[in-house]
């Protein structure tokens, strides 16, 4: 808890003092130091200053200042394991307890994309976050815990960012996390093979006046290239300890955490706060602005005055809004505008560019004294590979070839384990049906849960293969090249090349793809990418595709599957172009995207990513899909009291009577067949008059022009929970046709044999290849699942965009399915 949380008349023991530079120093000089007992004397109304008793003196602090002092109550201190509490609190024992409590260290990992930050976080904490060889993998903070040398670390893996400006959401997120959460130590993970670019972020951390330790990651790359770096001298120049690491191999991890402890405990003699010299005129402006900031206690308690001064000079929009909202000191912004005008007229240059040049000048000077560049073999190999893979003639055909291989393997290789799982579920269902007593529980377990969940889980091998290919392309760095090659296409439809990465991620799952749009700087581009991402066929749609393609297009499965994916891509392109001309008229954003060197991904990393994503699919089967299956089964099972159009019970009783009469085998077989037919008719009518059937018939007029029978409408409606539920719903609905539970092969036969039960088409096939294609088109396009809808609402900040996306995608799905059915029915029987 913080000192601001303590009520009047209560006491607390200081555990930790946060804050920045001179503010933190002043607070500590007033007696607010670790282990000191503080009493709250009184609080003023309306969250005004609070009076405290510390070291016998009465001192007042604002709530914003008290918020930066972490405390524990004496009773909590006494109850910690290190103390045997016997009713009397001994101050020395409390101080011992506080020392133990203060061994909790908050650490934030900050670094450029592709610096190995998440690999380091994963190795230390045992987490399973995905590591991709392109920017924008981590789009929100990941949190975990780690214990080392008696210290308890709370670790935060922050989004990869090149700087701490406010251009993109991840940059602003990192900045806010550092200021609002006040981590004890920031671990700046730096790519050793790209020091000049990576150290730009370091210069901004220096301005922040916080405790930093540099993890010089991928140090083996630097050594292998023959580059020589004087780490000790560079550390002294930066005022920051530097520890070489190789995160993927765990090298340097112990040394890094030893250094974090030393810096936290103020034991490292090399740690010193330096000021980057921005030149005489700029420094004068910083001094003028800083002087006015220091007059405002709220501003200096929130962040480093120098950092805020620099950001104001750079005309950082977030910094200006922060000062406007949180300060009554009009002189801060007034002085800022005056100094910006003075600097720009003096140098005929934007102040942000002047400060950026000074930062890179500082970095260049530091590296000239410490770095002797060698030749990187990795970049030599990367350039050689890029001559082929990003060739202006071969690049796109090769990319399409890789996509073909991915989909072909997904369909063909996945069919073998799919059959094994299919047989396993079929055997289990038959065994339970015979073993368990007849009744509602038996029906729920076999016809509901196992038929529904099994019909989705059988496609797990296809999902695994798909994610294996995607993981490999991400980890090697090929995905970034795909974005590079597709920038021209993206530009033609008014999108940034960065939009290609979320769109490709959408083939796996649309939810993380929507979240990955945070890496797009322009808000309009980001919003447009969100709205077209659902056209990318996520893995959840794959079971529906495989089921219907296997039933109606067995001769050309790969061609039909690729056609569906390409249709989604073309729709995304066309929609983006249309929206760009109507809803969004934006300025062109420059294409700036890192092309990292190719890396051979470890088998462990690729398999882990593949399995993590596949495990999410299994968890979804055990969660939302299981619930949906039970609801759908219940709606189809009740009400049990149904008024049938025929007296099926009498017919069945008559057949049973006939079976007890001596008959030959042919006559017995005919009666048995007739009995099954009557049972099927009875079950079909019961389903049609169930709650599910009533819902299906209610929505049937809207889907009948598309050639869809009411059961298909129910499947589509249930697919809004998760697209896999379309298959599980059909698994529950179609089992009534033959009185047996549905495995994959039986579902294929049931789909082929599905008939219209009423109306002018009664008795005709309800599913033909044309109708099946129209159904696949509808599944491809119509409203995505609830998870995607909520993700768009969250990322866009407006529910109206999510509702707009649901409306227009479903509208397009209806129109195209109508065209496919009506046109196809005239040319194909």
């Amino acid at each position: 808890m913080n000192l601001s949380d303590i009520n009047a008349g209560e006491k607390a023991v200081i555990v930790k003092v946060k804050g920045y530079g001179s503010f933190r120093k002043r607070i500590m000089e007033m007696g607010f130091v670790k282990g000191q007992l503080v009493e709250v004397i009184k609080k003023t109304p309306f969250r005004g200053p609070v009076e405290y008793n510390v070291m016998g003196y009465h001192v007042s602090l604002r709530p914003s200042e008290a918020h930066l002092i972490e405390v524990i109550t004496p009773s909590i201190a006494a109850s910690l394991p290190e103390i045997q509490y016997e009713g009397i609190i001994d101050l020395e024992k409390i101080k011992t307890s506080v020392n133990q409590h203060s061994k909790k260290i908050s650490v934030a990992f900050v670094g450029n994309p592709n610096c190995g930050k998440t690999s380091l976080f994963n190795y230390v904490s045992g987490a399973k976050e995905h590591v991709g060889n392109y920017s924008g993998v981590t789009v929100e903070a990941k949190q975990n815990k780690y214990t080392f040398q008696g210290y308890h670390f709370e670790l935060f893996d922050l989004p990869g960012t090149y700087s701490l400006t406010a251009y993109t959401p991840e940059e602003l997120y990192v900045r806010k996390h550092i200021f609002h959460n006040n981590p004890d130590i920031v671990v700046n993970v730096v790519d050793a093979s790209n020091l000049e670019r990576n150290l730009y972020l370091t210069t901004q951390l220096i301005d922040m006046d916080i405790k930093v330790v540099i993890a010089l990651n991928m140090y083996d790359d630097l050594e292998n290239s023959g580059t020589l770096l004087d780490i000790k001298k560079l550390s002294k120049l930066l005022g920051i300890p530097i520890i070489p690491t190789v995160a993927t191999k765990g090298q340097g991890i112990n040394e890094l955490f030893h250094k974090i402890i030393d810096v936290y405990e103020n034991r490292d003699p090399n740690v010193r706060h330096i000021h980057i010299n921005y030149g005489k005129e700029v420094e004068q402006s910083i001094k003028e602005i800083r002087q006015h900031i220091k007059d405002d206690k709220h501003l200096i308690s929130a962040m480093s005055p120098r950092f805020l001064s620099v950001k104001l000079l750079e005309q950082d929009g977030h910094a200006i809004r922060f000062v406007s909202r949180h300060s009554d000191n009009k002189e801060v912004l007034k002085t800022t505008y005056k100094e910006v005008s003075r600097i720009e007229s003096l140098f005929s240059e934007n102040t942000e560019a002047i400060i950026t040049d000074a930062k890179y000048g500082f970095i260049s000077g530091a590296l000239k004294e410490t770095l002797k560049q060698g030749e990187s073999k990795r970049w030599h190999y990367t350039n050689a590979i890029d001559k082929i893979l990003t060739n202006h003639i071969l690049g796109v055909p090769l990319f399409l070839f890789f996509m073909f291989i991915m989909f072909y393997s997904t369909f063909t290789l996945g069919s073998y384990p799919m059959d094994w799982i299919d047989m396993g579920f079929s055997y289990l269902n038959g065994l339970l049906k015979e073993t368990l007593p007849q009744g509602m529980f038996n029906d729920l377990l076999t016809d509901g849960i196992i038929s529904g969940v099994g019909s989705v889980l059988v496609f797990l091998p296809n999902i695994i293969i798909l994610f294996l290919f995607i993981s490999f392309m991400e980890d090697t760095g090929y995905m970034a090249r795909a974005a590079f090659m597709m920038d021209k296409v993206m530009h033609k439809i008014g999108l940034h090349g960065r939009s290609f990465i979320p769109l490709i991620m959408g083939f796996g799952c649309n939810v993380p793809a929507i979240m990955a749009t945070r890496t797009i700087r322009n808000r309009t581009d980001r919003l447009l990418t969100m709205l077209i991402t659902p056209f990318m066929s996520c893995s959840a749609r794959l079971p529906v595709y495989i089921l219907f393609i296997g039933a109606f297009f067995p001769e050309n499965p790969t061609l039909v599957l690729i056609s569906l994916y390409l249709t989604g891509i073309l729709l995304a392109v066309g929609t983006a172009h249309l929206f760009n001309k109507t809803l969004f008229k934006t300025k062109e954003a420059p294409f700036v995207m890192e092309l990292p060197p190719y890396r051979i991904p470890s088998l462990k990393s690729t398999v882990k990513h593949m399995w993590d994503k596949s495990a999410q699919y299994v968890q979804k089967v055990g969660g939302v899909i299981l619930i949906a299956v039970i609801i759908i089964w219940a709606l189809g099972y009740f009400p049990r009291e149904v008024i049938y159009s025929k007296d099926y019970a009498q017919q069945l009783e008559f057949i049973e009577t006939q079976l007890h009469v001596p008959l030959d085998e042919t006559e017995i077989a005919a009666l048995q067949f007739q009995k099954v037919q009557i049972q099927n008719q009875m079950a079909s009518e019961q389903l049609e008059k169930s709650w599910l059937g009533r819902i299906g018939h209610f929505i049937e007029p809207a889907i009948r022009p598309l050639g869809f029978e009411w059961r298909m409408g129910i499947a589509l409606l249930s697919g809004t929970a998760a697209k896999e539920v379309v298959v599980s719903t059909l698994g529950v609905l179609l089992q009534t046709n033959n009185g047996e539970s549905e495995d994959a092969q039986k579902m294929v036969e049931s789909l082929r044999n599905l008939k219209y039960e009423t109306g002018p088409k009664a008795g005709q096939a309800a599913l033909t290849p044309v109708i099946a294609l129209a159904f696949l088109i509808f599944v491809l396009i119509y409203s995505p699942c609830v998870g995607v809808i909520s993700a768009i609402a969250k990322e866009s900040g407006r529910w109206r965009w999510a509702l707009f996306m649901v409306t227009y995608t479903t509208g397009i799905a209806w129109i195209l399915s109508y065209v496919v059915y009506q046109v196809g029915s005239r040319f194909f029987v």
Side-chain angles (χ1 to χ4, degrees):
M1 74 180 79
N2 301 315
L3 186 57
S4 57
D5 301 322
I6 305 299
N7 296 320
E10 296 180 351
K11 295 181 179 180
V13 184
I14 297 173
V15 174
K16 193 181 296 181
V17 179
K18 301 178 181 179
Y20 306 92
S22 58
F23 167 76
R24 185 171 183 270
K25 183 180 179 183
R26 182 175 64 84
I27 289 290
M28 295 180 71
E29 286 173 348
M30 292 166 65
F32 293 90
V33 293
K34 186 172 74 173
Q36 191 61 51
L37 194 67
V38 180
E39 181 182 3
V40 183
I41 303 300
K42 63 173 176 283
K43 291 189 172 184
T44 56
F46 310 112
R47 291 189 60 80
V50 181
E51 185 178 340
Y52 299 96
N53 182 354
V54 58
M55 292 187 177
Y57 291 93
H58 284 213
V59 180
S60 67
L61 294 178
R62 289 182 175 181
S64 59
E65 298 168 332
H67 182 74
L68 297 173
I69 301 174
E70 188 177 326
V71 298
I72 57 174
T73 63
S75 58
I76 292 176
S79 67
L80 291 176
E82 289 77 12
I83 294 179
Q84 297 298 318
Y85 182 56
E86 298 174 352
I88 299 174
I89 302 174
D90 184 287
L91 189 58
E92 290 304 314
K93 287 185 176 180
I94 285 179
K95 288 186 177 181
T96 303
S97 171
V98 166
N99 285 332
Q100 293 295 324
H101 194 82
S102 65
K103 287 190 173 182
K104 295 178 180 178
I105 305 177
S106 172
V107 178
F109 289 85
V110 175
N112 286 193
N114 295 309
C115 67
K117 173 177 56 62
T118 301
S119 295
L120 181 60
F121 175 82
N122 287 349
Y123 190 92
V124 172
S125 64
K128 297 180 180 179
E129 301 306 331
H130 176 46
V131 180
N133 193 15
Y134 61 94
S135 64
V137 175
T138 309
V139 290
E140 59 184 8
K142 305 296 189 297
Q143 185 176 351
N144 221 313
K145 297 184 183 297
Y146 178 61
T147 301
F148 181 78
Q149 296 289 305
Y151 286 81
H152 304 284
F153 296 90
E154 190 172 18
L155 308 177
F156 295 89
D157 178 25
L158 301 184
T161 177
Y162 294 107
S163 71
L164 296 176
T165 54
Y167 288 133
T168 65
E170 75 266 19
E171 291 174 347
L172 193 55
Y173 186 95
V174 173
R175 196 158 105 183
K176 282 184 175 179
H177 181 93
I178 292 174
F179 285 134
H180 293 179
N181 295 74
N182 298 112
D184 298 309
I185 304 289
V186 169
V187 174
N188 180 202
V189 185
V190 171
D191 180 356
S193 63
N194 202 341
L195 282 171
E196 188 169 11
R197 203 275 319 281
N198 277 241
L199 287 176
Y200 182 80
L201 178 60
T202 309
T203 62
Q204 294 182 315
L205 295 174
I206 289 172
D207 284 339
M208 281 184 160
D209 193 12
I210 55 179
K211 289 184 176 182
V212 180
V213 175
I214 291 178
L216 191 62
N217 200 33
M218 305 181 196
Y219 191 67
D220 53 342
D221 286 353
L222 184 140
E223 290 182 313
N224 293 337
S225 69
T227 299
L228 299 176
L229 177 66
D230 189 336
I231 294 176
K232 189 174 181 180
K233 189 172 184 180
L234 181 60
S235 175
K236 188 174 180 180
L237 290 171
L238 297 176
I240 300 173
I242 300 175
I243 304 297
T245 60
V246 182
T248 53
K249 301 176 183 176
Q251 295 176 9
I253 303 298
N254 288 347
E255 293 82 353
L256 175 64
F257 276 84
H258 274 299
K259 185 58 65 178
I260 291 172
I261 293 169
D262 287 344
V263 173
Y264 174 74
E265 298 288 4
N266 300 310
R267 294 199 295 251
D268 192 310
N270 295 321
V271 174
R272 63 193 180 97
H273 178 58
I274 67 167
H275 282 175
I276 297 169
N277 192 330
Y278 294 110
K280 180 181 176 181
E281 299 299 334
V282 175
E283 287 293 335
Q284 180 61 36
S285 295
I286 292 173
K287 183 179 178 182
E288 291 290 332
I289 299 170
R290 189 178 178 187
Q291 192 59 48
H292 291 293
I293 290 173
K294 283 188 171 182
D295 293 337
D296 191 316
K297 288 186 176 181
H298 182 81
L299 293 181
I300 63 172
S301 65
M303 64 182 75
S304 160
R306 182 174 176 84
F307 178 80
L308 183 56
S309 300
V310 171
K311 284 297 159 192
L312 288 172
L313 265 184
E314 290 178 328
Q315 303 175 72
D316 181 281
H318 184 264
I320 292 171
R321 287 192 296 274
F322 175 79
V323 173
S324 301
R325 285 198 306 264
H326 297 92
S327 175
D328 295 328
N329 189 345
K330 305 296 183 184
E331 290 299 317
V332 175
L333 291 181
K334 185 178 177 182
T335 304
T336 296
Y337 297 139
K338 184 183 78 173
E339 293 300 324
V340 167
S341 178
R342 184 181 72 85
I343 293 293
E344 290 187 346
S345 63
L346 196 63
F347 292 97
S348 300
E349 181 68 270
N350 180 281
T351 51
E352 185 178 13
I354 294 168
I355 291 172
T356 300
D357 287 344
K359 285 182 183 293
Y360 276 114
F362 169 79
I363 294 167
S364 179
L367 293 180
K368 273 184 180 178
E369 293 189 39
T370 58
L371 185 71
K372 185 178 179 181
Q373 195 72 52
E375 184 180 350
S376 174
K377 291 182 180 179
R378 173 166 287 176
W379 279 109
H380 175 74
Y381 295 138
T382 293
N383 292 334
I385 296 171
D386 272 347
K387 285 182 180 178
I388 300 172
L389 295 185
T390 61
N391 184 278
H392 69 285
I393 296 174
L394 297 175
V396 174
L398 282 173
F399 173 70
L400 294 176
F401 173 72
F402 294 146
M403 292 295 103
F404 173 83
I405 293 295
M406 180 175 75
F407 294 130
Y408 180 80
S409 301
T410 298
F411 204 100
T412 53
L413 295 180
S415 64
Y416 300 105
M418 178 180 165
D419 290 340
W420 303 333
I421 296 173
D422 193 13
M423 288 187 290
F425 272 105
S426 180
Y427 174 78
L428 175 64
N429 212 343
L431 181 65
L432 291 176
K433 219 170 184 47
E434 293 176 4
T435 305
L436 295 176
Q438 296 297 312
M440 188 172 71
F441 178 74
N442 187 318
D443 294 338
L444 169 62
L445 191 61
T446 56
D447 297 338
I449 294 175
I450 294 179
S451 290
V453 171
S455 62
V456 175
L457 205 56
V458 74
F459 297 101
L460 179 61
N462 307 95
I463 303 297
I464 290 175
I465 293 170
L466 180 68
F467 279 123
L468 178 64
F469 275 90
I470 292 176
S471 301
F472 182 78
M473 288 192 289
E474 288 176 348
D475 294 347
T476 56
Y478 182 67
M479 277 297 196
R481 268 72 186 180
F484 169 75
M485 289 185 295
M486 297 303 293
D487 177 61
K488 192 169 183 179
V489 176
M490 295 286 108
H491 177 73
K492 291 286 185 185
I493 62 174
L495 279 176
H496 193 281
R498 278 181 175 270
S499 298
F500 188 70
I501 293 296
L503 294 178
I504 287 293
M505 289 177 69
F507 288 131
C509 179
N510 286 170
V511 174
I514 296 295
M515 295 172 67
T517 59
R518 296 180 192 177
T519 60
I520 303 169
R521 295 195 168 193
N522 184 286
R523 172 173 166 76
T524 304
D525 284 345
R526 193 160 63 246
L527 188 56
L528 181 53
T529 305
M530 283 183 218
L531 292 177
I532 66 171
T533 295
F535 286 121
M536 302 297 105
S537 285
C538 64
S539 59
R541 294 180 174 98
L542 191 59
V544 188
Y545 296 163
I546 292 174
L547 175 64
F548 276 79
I549 290 172
F552 297 98
F553 309 99
E555 295 179 0
N556 300 291
T558 305
L559 179 62
V560 176
L561 187 63
I562 289 178
S563 298
L564 286 171
Y565 278 83
L566 287 177
T567 301
I569 293 169
L570 291 174
L571 282 170
V573 169
T575 305
H577 189 70
L578 176 64
F579 284 173
N580 240 330
K581 298 293 184 183
T582 53
L583 294 178
F584 309 110
K585 294 181 180 179
T586 61
K587 295 179 181 179
E588 181 182 333
F591 179 71
V592 180
M593 185 169 183
E594 180 187 11
L595 292 179
Y598 287 105
R599 295 190 177 99
I600 300 175
S602 66
L603 180 62
K604 179 182 177 182
S605 172
T606 303
V607 171
K608 181 189 287 185
H609 178 220
M610 172 199 73
W611 183 248
D612 288 345
K613 293 298 182 184
S614 303
Q616 290 176 18
Y617 177 81
V618 175
Q619 288 168 5
K620 191 191 287 186
V621 171
V624 64
I625 293 175
L626 177 61
I627 294 169
V629 161
I630 293 173
I631 292 172
I632 291 162
W633 174 86
L635 288 173
Y637 195 77
F638 296 103
R640 298 306 293 166
E641 300 299 325
V642 174
I643 300 175
Y644 293 105
S645 60
K646 300 177 184 178
D647 192 344
Y648 294 112
Q650 185 178 0
Q651 293 179 14
L652 290 171
E653 185 179 347
F654 176 77
I655 291 175
E656 286 292 337
T657 304
Q658 293 294 312
L659 287 171
H660 287 86
V661 176
L663 300 169
D664 59 34
E665 291 184 4
T666 305
E667 291 173 322
I668 292 174
L671 286 171
Q672 290 285 10
F673 178 77
Q674 188 179 353
K675 179 181 176 181
V676 170
Q677 290 290 95
I678 294 171
Q679 287 174 336
N680 285 342
Q681 291 173 19
M682 182 178 177
S684 180
E685 190 170 343
Q686 192 279 325
L687 177 63
E688 189 170 357
K689 293 182 178 180
S690 69
W691 294 116
L692 194 63
R694 294 174 194 181
I695 295 171
H697 284 295
F698 177 76
I699 65 173
E700 191 172 22
I703 60 173
R704 183 58 70 92
L706 313 181
F708 299 166
E709 198 249 4
W710 65 270
R711 275 170 283 206
M712 297 166 68
I714 289 293
L716 291 171
L717 195 62
S718 64
T720 55
K723 287 296 176 284
E724 301 97 330
V725 180
V726 171
V727 173
S728 58
T729 301
L730 290 171
V732 173
L733 294 175
L734 296 178
Q735 59 90 22
T736 60
N737 282 347
N738 54 16
E740 297 179 5
S741 60
E742 292 296 304
D743 58 32
Q745 189 55 44
K746 288 176 183 174
M747 279 187 68
V748 167
E749 293 300 321
S750 295
L751 287 173
R752 290 171 179 166
N753 297 328
L754 190 64
K755 310 279 186 196
Y756 288 109
E757 296 173 342
T758 57
K761 294 185 178 180
Q764 295 181 25
L767 267 172
T768 63
V770 171
I771 297 173
L773 184 60
F775 186 78
L776 288 174
I777 292 292
F778 199 95
V779 171
L780 164 71
I781 305 168
Y782 88 113
S783 171
C785 68
V786 175
V788 176
I789 295 169
S790 60
I792 290 177
K794 179 182 176 183
E795 295 301 320
S796 67
R798 296 279 195 282
W799 268 101
R800 61 176 180 147
W801 288 117
L803 296 175
F804 170 70
M805 182 271 304
V806 170
T807 304
Y808 92 79
T809 53
T810 305
I812 294 174
W814 196 96
I815 292 169
L816 288 185
S817 295
Y818 178 82
V819 170
V820 168
Y821 172 64
Q822 296 296 339
V823 174
S825 297
R826 283 164 173 73
F827 291 97
F828 303 98
V829 179

